[in-house]
Amino acid sequence: MQWRLADEDRQVALGEALGRALAGQGSVYLEGELGAGKTTLTRGILRAHGHQGAVKSPTYTLVEPYELGEVRVHHFDLYRLGDPEELEFIGGRDLLGEAALCVIEWPERGRGWLPEPDVRVQLYLDEPGRVAVLHAGTDHGRRVLECLAAGMPAQDDHPASRHDGRGKDMAGKDEQDS
């Protein structure tokens, strides 16, 4: 599933839609180079659960917890992680194992230690905006992507702006038939 995100507002909107679809549970891996918009997408995910404050990447603390009503979100940033085993020392296994939503930036730094994500989001620079490619890794992730496909409006409401990279629009129709 792929979206062209023209600006920061569209990134936040995708994050909000993703946050609602996740319903406060699961894990999301955010991948992309520096400046690709991982923290911006996280801001949208947090807004979906009522957070209105600033969101900064927990680069030095590795994890920032958010208690948002009934929803607990753990925002990980593994950019400065020296070894995946360090996650054990900060209580990562407990945080990932509890009933919470875990958003993980730079998951490749935790490779071999982190479980398979429900949803993997790859962000690419495509100035002035971004491209987001989403993949499901679990049954929960597939349900999340189905929910997104049914409810996320296309940029400019044009079917070609919301495709899954296989010539299908988000409703599963061939783009030329839309």
Side-chain angles (χ1 to χ4, degrees):
M1 180 177 291
Q2 176 174 309
W3 270 286
R4 168 86 174 80
L5 306 168
D7 55 29
E8 185 175 325
D9 290 341
R10 292 294 299 165
Q11 284 182 267
V12 172
L14 176 59
E16 286 184 64
L18 180 58
R20 284 190 301 275
L22 285 159
Q25 298 292 310
S27 61
V28 178
Y29 286 5
L30 301 178
E31 302 172 345
E33 62 186 87
L34 284 170
K38 295 178 292 295
T39 303
T40 300
L41 200 68
T42 301
R43 182 175 355 127
I45 292 169
L46 291 166
R47 281 189 183 175
H49 299 290
H51 181 74
Q52 294 301 315
V55 175
K56 60 181 181 127
S57 209
T59 304
Y60 293 100
T61 59
L62 299 181
V63 64
E64 181 69 32
Y66 294 87
E67 297 286 335
L68 305 168
E70 306 256 334
V71 174
R72 182 176 300 138
V73 179
H74 300 299
H75 177 201
F76 291 82
D77 182 334
L78 306 183
Y79 183 74
R80 298 204 183 276
L81 192 70
D83 184 286
E85 291 295 318
E86 290 177 41
L87 288 166
E88 188 71 45
F89 301 121
I90 66 164
R93 192 172 315 277
D94 294 334
L95 295 173
L96 291 165
E98 65 183 44
L101 173 56
C102 294
V103 179
I104 304 172
E105 297 185 34
W106 301 98
E108 62 275 13
R109 307 277 176 131
R111 188 172 290 130
W113 194 89
L114 292 172
E116 182 70 20
D118 293 299
V119 176
R120 179 182 312 273
V121 180
Q122 297 168 304
L123 292 163
Y124 300 97
L125 297 171
D126 188 26
E127 295 300 337
R130 307 290 186 265
V131 172
V133 180
L134 287 74
H135 305 277
T138 65
D139 287 340
H140 177 59
R142 282 184 277 287
R143 287 188 298 273
V144 166
L145 295 189
E146 288 170 5
C147 184
L148 278 176
M152 180 69 179
Q155 166 187 321
D156 301 326
D157 294 319
H158 188 278
S161 69
R162 59 176 189 147
H163 60 87
D164 67 1
R166 298 175 303 195
K168 304 278 186 194
D169 73 6
M170 301 314 287
K173 300 176 192 165
D174 288 324
E175 288 180 350
Q176 62 269 23
D177 295 340
S178 298

